Amino acid sequence: MRASFLLAVVCTAGFTTAFPGMDKTMSEIQARQGGSGPSTALLGDLVHLSDRQLTRTGREIKAILRGTGNPQDLISHASYFLGTPPLGSWLCNIDTCCVWKHIADEMAPALTGTAGRCNDLARALIRLAFHDAGTWDIHSDGTGADGSIALTDECDRTPENRGLGTACDQVRTWHAKYASHGVSMADVIQFAAQVATVVCPLGPRIRFFAGRKDVAVAGPRGLLPGPFDDADRIIDMFANKTISADGVVALLGAHSASQQHSIDVDRAGDPQDSTPGVWDTEYFSETLDDDAPARVFKFQSDLNIANDPRTHATWRSYADPSAQSSWNKAYAAEYIRVSLLGVPELNSMTECSRALPPSRGSFDAPDQSQLDRFMQGLLDTATDLLFNGDVIPADLQ
Ligand code: HEM
Ligand SMILES: *[C@@H]1O[C@H](CO)[C@@H](O)[C@H](O)[C@H]1NC(C)=O
């Protein structure tokens, strides 16, 4: 493992949020509502290593998995004195994170549209990374976040991976371009998801740890959830992946940015809340709201979790704009866990959070009245523009 070397500014993570006063800790939320609380089980080699044996990064990951560490890094940045050193230069080669900065610079512009919203590729990459990691559970000997979704024909599996083909092709292209600089497919997939998340307006800047190894063997079937699963099955399936019921609620918030294609093909493009491409709390409130705009398409599985007595209170606690920072923090912690499922060696990973693009803490839609018309079902012509995160022109009919 190469040391992480920084040419200019080093900002380490460790700051809770930009607005510490607004932040409710997980334990407070848990105490208030009596939910399951965040996930806390250890993973990989952290299960058996003693604290003495841990590297600094190993300790950080352990704290995040325990629910005490900070899962976001809202401030660090890769600030190189004379710009990012060229790929392959010795300066870049001695800094493990330099190649990730190059990759982020290539990914980020491909993931947003002219309206500033994140686009269809961004959402598919987030889903792809969940599906690469999600083929692991405590009873399977399969590996999870191992790149296998793109290294085998796993991506072509139906029905669970339907619609992920373009995202798979894209990570293959990125991996082919950067593999000679030491990056694994598994890391490219997880990094792409975290870049995609942070470029969605209001999205969390989730700390990124590199060092996953590739396994070109398809994961077992039957370990990914389906859109008609009931709450028992979903909660049980995620529990087998060390994810608590409250953790499921936080993670499902990824549907805040999404637009379904395949559950109902006649309604392809219908978003899961009225602000597609924006990582806001509307999804939690509108899923509970019987009067949500006509084009809000609710997954049965989401409704099942939103209304289940074990998860309803946590769901409601996120259904308000003031919960943005507590939800982002919970999502980030649970997502880091997802991104490490089945990864055997966590103690030797390297943190490269500073290579991520900056987070975008506020957003004003430049086309709100047209977006409102679309959501009411009065502007079907805007479907492709929304897929691309592009501005809906004021004169579009
Ligand atoms: C009960 C658990 C879940 C179920 C049943 C589920 C199911 C689905 C389905 C059916 C779609 C629509 C795919 C399409 O038609 O295009 C979808 C989209 C999506 N899901 Fe989930 N999901 C679950 C959990 C998650 C989690 C944990 C994440 C992320 C960590 C996630 C991220 C996404 C994203 C970003 C999309 C949008 C994909 C796109 O627009 O191409 N989902 N999900
Ligand atoms: C979770 O694991 C248990 C075994 O402990 C198994 O019986 C159950 O089917 C698993 N649930 C799901 C949904 O995979």
Side-chain angles (χ1 to χ4, degrees), residues 301-318:
S301 49
D302 290 357
L303 287 165
N304 294 344
I305 294 294
N307 293 310
D308 190 88
R310 288 162 289 186
T311 39
H312 178 70
T314 303
W315 192 287
R316 267 204 19 218
S317 76
Y318 293 143

Side-chain angles (χ1 to χ4, degrees), residues 121 124-126 128 150 155 163-172 174:
L121 177 60
L125 288 166
I126 296 167
L128 181 76
C155 212
L164 290 177
T166 307
C168 253
D169 288 343
Q170 183 61 70
V171 295
R172 286 172 185 142
W174 281 327

Side-chain angles (χ1 to χ4, degrees), residues 120 123-124 126-127 130 162 225-227 234 238 251-252 254-255 258-263 299 301 331 335:
D120 215 34
R123 300 184 274 267
I126 296 167
R127 184 157 194 247
F130 164 50
R162 188 177 291 148
I234 294 167
F238 278 85
L251 287 170
L252 281 178
H255 292 163
S258 75
Q259 289 173 258
Q260 74 91 28
H261 306 72
S262 65
I263 304 178
F299 300 171
S301 49
Y331 182 89
Y335 191 78

Side-chain angles (χ1 to χ4, degrees), residues 12-13 54-62 207 347 351:
T12 47
L54 298 184
T55 60
R56 211 189 98 184
T57 306
R59 274 199 302 276
E60 301 270 341
I61 297 175
K62 181 171 179 175
R207 290 171 71 182
N347 196 34
E351 178 162 13

